[in-house]
Amino acid sequence: MAGTTTGQIGPAGLPSLGANMGTLDAVPSALTPYQRRILDVAAKQVHRVGTQIWRTDLVGIADFAQPSWKPRLHFANIEAGTVRSFLLAHGRGSDPAHSGWLQSFSNLPGSEATSRGAFLTCEWYSGKYGTSIRLKGLDNDNSMALERAIVMHPAWYVDAAMIQKWGKLGRSEGCFAMSNTDFNEALWHLSGGRLLFADRIGEY
């Protein structure tokens, strides 16, 4: 998934993002208990990783306690107190039977599994799936993220049509794959030094 064309951090250096930018509105201010938990986890993880991240306004929370047919990548805006949620695939090594549920995490090269822990979102680059976001693992459980080329990228197999046909999303090679439409949101709002945290949030 590695690419050769890199870009500068920030909207001014982003490639053309198409017409779908900003189509998803923030949730109402009356948050559900689950959304409040997401914001709480985001704040705690920002505090835990400290100066290892560069921007603390918005945090990505990937809740792999949820199945792939539910929106489980949450953009927690700590400053605004809002949560927006998107579909997200997990790695085939984390779900060998393709049940739609993540069964296990791994940090091992070649595992094609999803890793848990805190990631620093870095610069965008052009790779196998087009414009993608590099990730640096900040914990022992995801320390090999750069070596494994674990990134955020768009993918055709992350789409509501897949859920309608198969009841679940396709699987990645361990990367955080979003739909082609939603990935623009990650480019504009999560890249450039912010925190992406992945785990089973139900355990917190």
Side-chain angles (χ1 to χ4, degrees):
M1 293 184 191
T4 56
T5 304
T6 61
Q8 298 297 317
I9 293 171
L14 289 176
S16 175
L17 297 179
N20 292 311
M21 171 61 197
T23 58
L24 296 176
D25 294 329
V27 296
S29 57
L31 299 176
T32 67
Y34 177 74
Q35 290 170 331
R36 286 195 292 270
R37 171 183 265 184
I38 292 297
L39 283 169
D40 182 59
V41 170
K44 288 180 178 177
Q45 291 301 317
V46 164
H47 179 75
R48 181 178 71 88
V49 300
T51 57
Q52 293 184 89
I53 58 172
W54 312 331
R55 301 179 182 178
T56 60
D57 55 341
L58 186 142
V59 176
I61 301 290
D63 183 7
F64 289 111
Q66 305 297 322
S68 70
W69 56 84
K70 290 187 177 181
R72 56 183 179 175
L73 174 60
H74 310 291
F75 284 13
N77 189 319
I78 295 175
E79 293 182 352
T82 59
V83 177
R84 293 188 297 160
S85 302
F86 308 91
L87 293 173
L88 178 71
H90 55 247
R92 59 173 57 95
S94 290
D95 179 16
H98 201 183
S99 66
W101 293 86
L102 181 142
Q103 305 294 326
S104 61
F105 295 101
S106 178
N107 191 37
L108 295 176
S111 67
E112 296 189 339
T114 298
S115 295
R116 74 198 312 169
F119 298 82
L120 171 70
T121 65
C122 301
E123 80 279 8
W124 60 265
Y125 71 100
S126 181
K128 177 180 177 182
Y129 290 94
T131 304
S132 306
I133 301 171
R134 296 192 196 279
L135 298 174
K136 178 183 178 181
L138 303 179
D139 291 315
N140 290 334
D141 286 340
N142 62 5
S143 59
M144 298 294 292
L146 285 174
E147 289 80 356
R148 294 178 60 207
I150 300 301
V151 302
M152 296 189 75
H153 67 72
W156 62 269
Y157 53 79
V158 183
D159 191 86
M162 292 289 292
I163 298 173
Q164 293 172 0
K165 184 175 182 179
W166 303 106
K168 58 198 171 189
L169 300 178
R171 297 167 296 173
S172 71
E173 296 175 356
C175 291
F176 295 82
M178 300 176 66
S179 75
N180 288 303
T181 300
D182 292 342
F183 188 68
N184 289 343
E185 296 285 332
L187 284 176
W188 279 86
H189 301 300
L190 193 60
S191 64
R194 292 181 173 87
L195 173 65
L196 171 65
F197 180 73
D199 212 329
R200 293 186 178 95
I201 302 306
E203 298 177 359
Y204 284 78

